[in-house]
Amino acid sequence: MNNTASLNDEPEATDGREVKGAMMRARLRAATEQLIAEVGVEAASAAAIALRCGVSRGAMLHHYPTRDALIVDTAAHFWQRARDIVAGLAEDVSHGRTDVATFVGRLYDEVFRANALVTMLDLMVSGRSETRIGEAVNRILTDLFASYEDLGIQAFQSSGLPPERIRVIITLIVSTLRGLRIQDNIKPDEARVRAVLASLADAVEVLLQKEARNPARRAAKKPPAKTRRSRKP
């Protein structure tokens, strides 16, 4: 799977110069995602990003005045792509078009395996949270994980669980996938990844079905029996 930014993730341009500019920015973001995922934030200098992209440093600075501006824009575009993916998954689950295992698997493969997510996590763990770029990335991640909760409620509302319980389940999913992505980045093992995803899907299924097996809740949902009126003598 190609986890780099798409060349078509910019708004439609209206003339040739805008088209070329949009394509160049997309290429620079893709190069940034790849390089930081491979060598980390500190080694991904502006010169290294330009070299990976196959352009001069001057050409890169024409579109992004600083490396930090490029990294923040890369993170922002990833946020939008990720949110669109999760929104589609949530809609499919809520309408019964996909199951929990598919939801968990695609969320990991299409969002958590993206190079841009590794970029943002690397920024967080490298001690840059107090810098301008760190603050921007933290805001983006905070918004992204909040959207996971909102979309998760939409996806699993048919389970009958209250929103606060669904948020707990979404936190379990997101936390597990985030940790799995970090672990797999350190020591890749595809068989282990698939085993963890299958176990996570099973656990989520159990949590969702537990509500339906709860007698107290079923009784609370059950409409009161109609009482038979006695006839007057």
Side-chain angles (χ1 to χ4, degrees):
M1 172 185 277
N2 184 3
N3 290 321
T4 61
S6 167
L7 296 183
N8 298 318
D9 62 358
E10 287 274 3
E12 290 187 7
T14 56
D15 60 40
R17 285 178 301 176
E18 290 182 0
V19 169
K20 289 182 180 179
M23 293 180 66
M24 177 57 70
R25 288 189 293 274
R27 285 176 57 194
L28 287 165
R29 290 193 300 270
T32 301
E33 291 182 13
Q34 292 175 345
L35 197 59
I36 293 180
E38 292 173 11
V39 303
V41 176
E42 298 304 326
S45 64
I49 293 172
L51 181 63
R52 171 62 61 93
C53 190
V55 301
S56 68
R57 190 166 181 269
M60 187 188 88
L61 294 176
H62 173 72
H63 295 280
Y64 295 101
T66 65
R67 185 197 72 147
D68 285 3
L70 171 55
I71 291 176
V72 170
D73 194 44
T74 298
H77 275 76
F78 167 73
W79 180 89
Q80 188 57 56
R81 297 200 313 272
R83 191 188 185 287
D84 290 345
I85 291 170
V86 178
L89 288 172
E91 185 175 356
D92 285 346
V93 172
S94 65
H95 287 85
R97 293 192 293 264
T98 193
D99 56 15
V100 171
T102 302
F103 175 85
V104 169
R106 287 187 58 193
L107 184 60
Y108 183 74
D109 288 334
E110 298 179 31
V111 176
F112 282 81
R113 267 194 162 161
N115 287 327
L117 184 67
V118 180
T119 296
M120 292 195 287
L121 293 175
D122 192 36
L123 287 168
M124 291 184 68
V125 301
S126 63
R128 295 172 60 95
S129 59
E130 301 303 321
T131 65
R132 185 186 68 83
I133 184 172
E135 291 173 356
V137 168
N138 284 345
R139 284 196 302 272
I140 290 169
L141 279 174
T142 298
D143 290 343
L144 181 61
F145 293 141
S147 72
Y148 288 162
E149 290 188 357
D150 294 339
L151 293 169
I153 291 172
Q154 173 190 333
F156 300 128
Q157 60 186 351
S158 62
S159 67
L161 286 169
E164 58 270 21
R165 290 297 301 160
I166 296 178
R167 288 192 181 93
V168 171
I169 293 174
I170 294 301
T171 300
L172 170 66
I173 294 173
V174 171
S175 299
T176 302
L177 296 185
R178 185 168 59 227
L180 179 61
R181 182 63 180 95
I182 294 172
Q183 175 65 29
D184 197 49
N185 200 47
I186 296 170
K187 186 177 180 181
D189 185 337
E190 189 62 20
R192 179 182 56 193
V193 166
R194 294 300 138 190
V196 170
L197 292 176
S199 297
L200 177 59
D202 288 344
V204 172
E205 287 277 16
V206 169
L207 290 171
L208 292 173
Q209 293 171 7
K210 185 178 180 181
E211 186 74 7
R213 297 198 304 267
N214 188 328
R217 186 162 182 83
R218 284 203 308 269
K221 289 182 176 181
K222 187 177 179 181
K226 293 182 178 179
T227 57
R228 189 175 180 179
R229 293 185 179 180
S230 58
R231 293 184 179 180
K232 293 183 179 180

